[in-house]
Amino acid sequence: MISIMQVFALFLFSLAEANEKRNWMIYRDFAQPLIKEAKMLYRDDYFRLGLKERVYALDSTTIQLCLELSPWAEFHHGEGAVKMHTLIDLRGSIPSYIIMTNGLVHDSKVMPMIPVEACAFYLMDKGYVFFKQLYECFHLKGAFFVTRAKDNMVYEVAEEHEVDKSAGLISYQIIRLTGKNPSVEYPEPLRMVVYEDYSTDNVYRFLTNNLTIDSLTVAELYRERWMVELFFKWVKQHLHIKKFYGTTENAVYLQLWIAVCDYLLLIIAKKKFRLPQSLHAISNAIGPLLFKQSDIHSIFNVTKDDNNNRSDDPPIQLSFW
């Protein structure tokens, strides 16, 4: 007589075997039209800083793996890991571009692969401050970046501008890099805004190649970068990326891309059906009904007439809290 635990173990073995054989690129390719549709649905969403330009946040998250079971995912100190490098469109928190690598690939290595739009803003932490890439991948393509200066940056001040110190601004300077390599790799002037966050008493030095927007906007833009961290947190916590059903590179990438597709379908449903519930609530409600023919309107007690009548309402913002 086969026990329930034996049946469950057999199911997991079959799932792991399927994940190792099914090509992960199928789900990556499936995600592309979902990304396109999500960007269309959220393209006119209000951005709190009032900028009309597209604003993106670039970062990566490290997902731990067992190195003995996944030797392809070598990381530091005998550990295994995979990195999920993600470009988030902040209008809708849409993962517009994702690259998956093993844990040893430095964040700066993916910068040349990122699709860059002219006049858009790209927000990055100081782990991406490699001046050659910033100049070639963003500045020369007509895009703007906002990042933080490293402590060892060598520069000279070309201009000093007045700032509103009551808003937390300490200084606004136009600088030129003077280090032997950086001065060649980034020959153009940069703008450095020094800002004190009164809530934490921390002082930040922000770097940008945009010389026209308000200094306080530079600081507030960098604050928006944390939306990508909220995306990573949501994916890990709510889509249950805590264990992998398969140990090969293909199996791990496949499960991660399935999680991304799941997230994209949720934000599309939320916007398309104008659901007021949080993504977590929508996910919990839909999950048990995946194999039933249920109208999404009836699940959330929203009529099709309600959707039509509310077409002129202000767009509902995603909540990650």
Side-chain angles (χ1 to χ4, degrees):
M1 187 108 181
I2 300 177
S3 68
I4 294 177
M5 290 303 296
Q6 287 174 317
V7 172
F8 185 64
L10 183 62
F11 168 76
L12 291 181
F13 175 79
S14 301
L15 182 60
E17 188 177 33
N19 284 353
E20 291 177 357
K21 291 181 179 179
R22 187 178 296 113
N23 195 317
W24 65 270
M25 294 183 184
I26 295 172
Y27 294 96
R28 181 201 62 185
D29 293 346
F30 176 61
Q32 304 316 304
L34 297 180
I35 292 170
K36 185 176 180 181
E37 182 171 0
K39 287 175 75 72
M40 285 292 293
L41 288 171
Y42 286 89
R43 69 186 184 279
D44 296 324
D45 265 27
Y46 173 75
F47 185 63
R48 77 172 183 89
L49 298 179
L51 294 175
K52 295 181 180 179
E53 296 85 354
R54 308 303 299 182
V55 183
Y56 297 92
L58 175 62
D59 207 345
S60 70
T61 188
T62 301
I63 301 167
Q64 299 295 326
L65 298 172
C66 176
L67 188 59
E68 291 184 4
L69 297 177
S70 303
W72 56 272
E74 185 178 354
F75 194 40
H76 301 299
H77 311 299
E79 297 179 344
V82 61
K83 267 190 175 181
M84 189 174 178
H85 308 266
T86 306
L87 184 70
I88 290 282
D89 184 341
L90 296 189
R91 281 185 175 83
S93 293
I94 303 163
S96 297
Y97 191 75
I98 294 176
I99 303 171
M100 305 212 186
T101 68
N102 69 35
L104 286 177
V105 176
H106 193 275
D107 292 346
S108 64
K109 298 295 183 182
V110 306
M111 291 167 73
M113 307 177 197
I114 297 298
V116 173
E117 302 173 23
C119 298
F121 285 87
Y122 294 83
L123 318 178
M124 300 164 276
D125 67 20
K126 57 185 176 183
Y128 291 90
V129 178
F130 287 80
F131 290 110
K132 186 175 187 293
Q133 287 93 325
L134 289 175
Y135 185 67
E136 294 179 353
C137 301
F138 298 97
H139 186 79
L140 289 182
K141 294 180 180 179
F144 304 117
F145 59 83
V146 177
T147 184
R148 286 174 58 194
K150 292 183 177 180
D151 295 337
N152 61 354
M153 184 179 72
V154 183
Y155 64 94
E156 63 181 12
V157 178
E159 298 177 25
E160 187 93 32
H161 296 261
E162 292 185 1
V163 294
D164 180 4
K165 295 187 182 295
S166 65
L169 296 166
I170 296 175
S171 66
Y172 157 26
Q173 300 168 329
I174 302 297
I175 66 170
R176 285 189 176 273
L177 301 175
T178 56
K180 182 179 179 181
N181 291 328
S183 61
V184 174
E185 294 169 348
Y186 203 106
E188 297 294 325
L190 283 165
R191 179 184 187 182
M192 185 166 71
V193 174
V194 183
Y195 172 80
E196 181 178 5
D197 186 344
Y198 291 144
S199 65
T200 61
D201 293 328
N202 290 328
V203 175
Y204 301 96
R205 297 191 303 165
F206 300 116
L207 284 180
T208 181
N209 61 332
N210 187 294
L211 308 181
T212 61
I213 60 173
D214 183 78
S215 295
L216 188 58
T217 301
V218 174
E220 289 297 321
L221 271 171
Y222 190 83
R223 193 190 301 273
E224 292 295 308
R225 191 191 67 81
W226 288 102
M227 290 302 293
V228 69
E229 301 291 350
L230 295 177
F231 166 74
F232 292 144
K233 180 180 179 180
W234 202 94
V235 167
K236 288 180 179 179
Q237 289 186 355
H238 297 304
L239 298 184
H240 309 297
I241 303 299
K242 297 176 182 177
K243 58 180 65 176
F244 288 91
Y245 303 106
T247 59
T248 65
E249 182 177 25
N250 186 84
V252 171
Y253 285 6
L254 179 143
Q255 192 170 336
L256 287 171
W257 273 109
I258 289 175
V260 171
C261 291
D262 187 353
Y263 173 85
L264 288 165
L265 287 168
L266 286 173
I267 64 173
I268 288 171
K270 180 176 175 66
K271 174 63 78 171
K272 203 165 187 178
F273 297 101
R274 304 184 67 81
L275 303 176
Q277 291 83 359
S278 69
L279 287 185
H280 189 204
I282 297 170
S283 178
N284 287 343
I286 292 177
L289 303 172
L290 289 178
F291 298 101
K292 296 182 179 180
Q293 289 187 346
S294 299
D295 191 317
I296 197 168
H297 297 90
S298 63
I299 298 172
F300 297 101
N301 296 320
V302 176
T303 68
K304 295 178 183 179
D305 290 338
D306 287 339
N307 281 328
N308 293 333
N309 293 336
R310 297 192 308 176
S311 61
D312 295 328
D313 291 346
I316 300 168
Q317 299 296 306
L318 288 175
S319 173
F320 283 84
W321 299 102

